[in-house]
Amino acid sequence: MEIFVKYLLGYLLLRSIIFNVVGILRSLFVFTWVKVPVSLTYTNIEESPAVEGVKLYEVDIWYSYSYETENFISKQFAFNYSNSPLLLLHKITMKRLNNRKQIFARVNPKNPNQAVLFSGVNFFHIVNLCLPIISGPYQFVEVQAIKKIS
């Protein structure tokens, strides 16, 4: 059983790191897309129901933009963004948007329905990448401690 737990935690850690690195690379690739001005139509930080006593927060942003005489609406504002219990992270994201005089999105010229507000490496990319690296070994130590107690 102990070997299974080691491999499972290792697999989950590796999968999470790969997922986040791919998201960072996608976010950097977005710089090749066309930059267009957007209008925010809706912004909010939403609270999800508590899971085991932990509240999760998610930024909900809707924006409209025009590309080659067509109008579009999107809610994707970043790659690899996910809800989390870190409310401060979401407030920083909203503050970054509110402090901009003009907001731009990057639009995929091959598929204008696909757009993203935040390009490049962002704070939440770093947090999402660091959390599994920190929590993976911690979870293994926790499993070892539980094993010693029982």
Side-chain angles (χ1 to χ4, degrees):
M1 182 69 172
E2 182 178 331
I3 292 174
F4 173 74
V5 171
K6 284 182 186 178
Y7 284 121
L8 179 63
L9 288 176
Y11 165 75
L12 293 174
L13 176 65
L14 183 63
R15 189 181 122 212
S16 181
I17 290 170
I18 290 171
F19 175 76
N20 286 306
V21 169
V22 167
I24 289 170
L25 292 175
R26 283 182 69 199
S27 193
L28 291 172
F29 178 73
V30 165
F31 284 116
T32 64
W33 292 1
V34 179
K35 190 175 182 180
V36 298
V38 302
S39 297
L40 295 178
T41 56
Y42 177 77
T43 61
N44 193 23
I45 298 176
E46 296 184 357
E47 184 179 312
S48 299
V51 178
E52 296 181 16
V54 177
K55 291 181 183 177
L56 296 176
Y57 301 95
E58 183 174 10
V59 173
D60 192 16
I61 299 172
W62 289 80
Y63 56 95
S64 61
Y65 61 96
S66 296
Y67 181 75
E68 294 184 351
T69 69
E70 286 188 65
N71 295 323
F72 299 92
I73 295 175
S74 180
K75 68 179 240 171
Q76 181 174 16
F77 69 94
F79 293 117
N80 277 37
Y81 177 83
S82 60
N83 58 0
S84 77
L86 304 174
L87 180 59
L88 180 62
L89 177 65
H90 304 296
K91 287 184 178 181
I92 290 170
T93 303
M94 294 298 282
K95 187 173 182 177
R96 279 186 63 195
L97 276 178
N98 293 332
N99 286 343
R100 292 182 181 178
K101 292 179 183 173
Q102 177 67 50
I103 300 171
F104 293 93
R106 298 280 181 163
V107 177
N108 184 349
K110 295 179 182 175
N111 179 9
N113 283 317
Q114 187 179 20
V116 66
L117 288 178
F118 292 116
S119 51
V121 179
N122 291 289
F123 182 65
F124 52 83
H125 287 124
I126 304 302
V127 170
N128 285 343
L129 186 60
C130 290
L131 281 178
I133 293 171
I134 294 168
S135 69
Y138 171 77
Q139 290 173 355
F140 178 74
V141 169
E142 192 174 84
V143 167
Q144 295 297 322
I146 291 170
K147 181 182 173 193
K148 286 180 183 178
I149 291 173
S150 56

